[in-house]
Amino acid sequence: MNKSILSALAAGVVLASCGDKKDAISDVKMNNETDSLSYAIGLNLGESFAQGDLKELNYDLLVQGMKDQMDSTGAMELADAEKYIQEVMRGREEAKAEVDKKAGEEFLAANKSKEGVQTTPSGLQYKVLSEGTGAKPLPTDMVTVHYHGTLPDGTIFDSSVNRGEPATFRLNQVIPGWTEGLQLMSEGSKYQFFIPQELGYGDRGMGKIKPYSALIFEVELIKVEAGAQSPDVE
């Protein structure tokens, strides 16, 4: 449940600055402070609803519910209303996650037959872009890599390449798809990984990564340090 939506409905609204949108409301008639405050609260609620994918609402009933709550004449108890909102939003999120899960499965099913793509027993898909000649890492080794991560639709969610700084970590401290995939690589190699959701973040979201998302990584294994200590992470 989007907490900003629930708090706006149940406990009041924190006003947002109109900022650069002043020109966009020049045709709205506001005669006094009450009008301006009302419109500002409406903008704030609208932003929360848009972020929560709640654009399709019965606005007459929305306003009626706000009035009834302020007058203590609501058709349902506030606690019941909050519970209902949570149930509806949870159902929508689960339905959306199922769509994303299916999309990832369809992408991987089509991808596995492409030239150069190999599949391990776990379902990890990989493609060798260039093969190195150095050591292969063990799960307890430290590795330094450059990587570029995208979703199947091309959305970039993380990239050490774009940051211009490689990442160093212990191999058994990352998602299973990486732990398995990098052990296939020799130092100096560059591979492409196509990671099913069960070897990625599963039902967890992570920034631009939605639950059940398939992941694509282009990874260059720069260095392997056998049994080295993990760097301090704040």
Side-chain angles (χ1 to χ4, degrees):
M1 175 63 195
N2 187 313
K3 292 183 178 179
S4 63
I5 296 174
L6 186 58
S7 61
L9 290 173
V13 178
V14 177
L15 293 179
S17 171
C18 293
D20 296 332
K21 294 185 178 180
K22 290 182 179 179
D23 292 340
I25 63 172
S26 59
D27 60 341
V28 176
K29 188 176 181 180
M30 291 176 281
N31 297 318
N32 50 48
E33 182 180 272
T34 298
D35 290 350
S36 298
L37 179 61
S38 299
Y39 191 78
I41 290 175
L43 288 178
N44 187 267
L45 283 172
E47 177 65 15
S48 296
F49 295 155
Q51 291 178 359
D53 197 20
L54 287 172
K55 294 182 180 180
E56 295 183 5
L57 293 171
N58 184 321
Y59 294 103
D60 290 337
L61 287 176
L62 173 65
V63 173
Q64 186 64 49
M66 295 172 66
K67 290 180 177 178
D68 288 350
Q69 177 59 29
M70 289 186 288
D71 295 338
S72 300
T73 59
M76 64 175 73
E77 295 294 329
L78 182 58
D80 293 334
E82 293 174 353
K83 181 179 179 181
Y84 180 73
I85 293 170
Q86 291 172 343
E87 290 175 350
V88 171
M89 294 303 294
R90 187 182 304 113
R92 292 186 179 186
E93 289 170 359
E94 290 173 352
K96 182 62 169 63
E98 192 62 33
V99 171
D100 293 336
K101 182 179 180 180
K102 183 177 180 180
E105 291 171 347
E106 291 176 347
F107 165 76
L108 292 168
N111 188 69
K112 69 180 181 181
S113 60
K114 292 184 178 180
E115 183 178 358
V117 175
Q118 302 180 61
T119 305
T120 71
S122 71
L124 173 68
Q125 298 178 9
Y126 69 95
K127 182 177 181 179
V128 178
L129 302 180
S130 61
E131 194 67 85
T133 58
K136 289 188 175 182
L138 297 174
T140 54
D141 290 343
M142 296 294 297
V143 295
T144 298
V145 304
H146 252 320
Y147 64 91
H148 185 72
T150 64
L151 300 175
D153 66 3
T155 299
I156 300 171
F157 58 80
D158 194 12
S159 176
S160 70
V161 175
N162 289 355
R163 289 194 297 273
E165 183 178 355
T168 299
F169 51 85
R170 190 180 299 282
L171 192 51
N172 59 8
Q173 295 179 337
V174 290
I175 58 174
W178 270 50
T179 301
E180 178 184 355
L182 266 75
Q183 290 181 80
L184 302 172
M185 302 175 68
S186 299
E187 197 175 66
S189 298
K190 181 180 288 188
Y191 281 26
Q192 194 171 25
F193 296 132
F194 308 91
I195 301 177
Q197 56 87 13
E198 58 267 24
L199 299 178
Y201 292 101
D203 61 0
R204 294 175 294 150
M206 187 70 65
K208 295 181 180 180
I209 301 173
K210 299 175 183 179
Y212 303 109
S213 293
L215 309 174
I216 304 171
F217 284 98
E218 187 170 299
V219 182
E220 178 185 4
L221 180 54
I222 299 171
K223 186 178 181 181
V224 176
E225 298 179 78
Q229 295 295 314
S230 300
D232 291 335
V233 179
E234 296 184 357

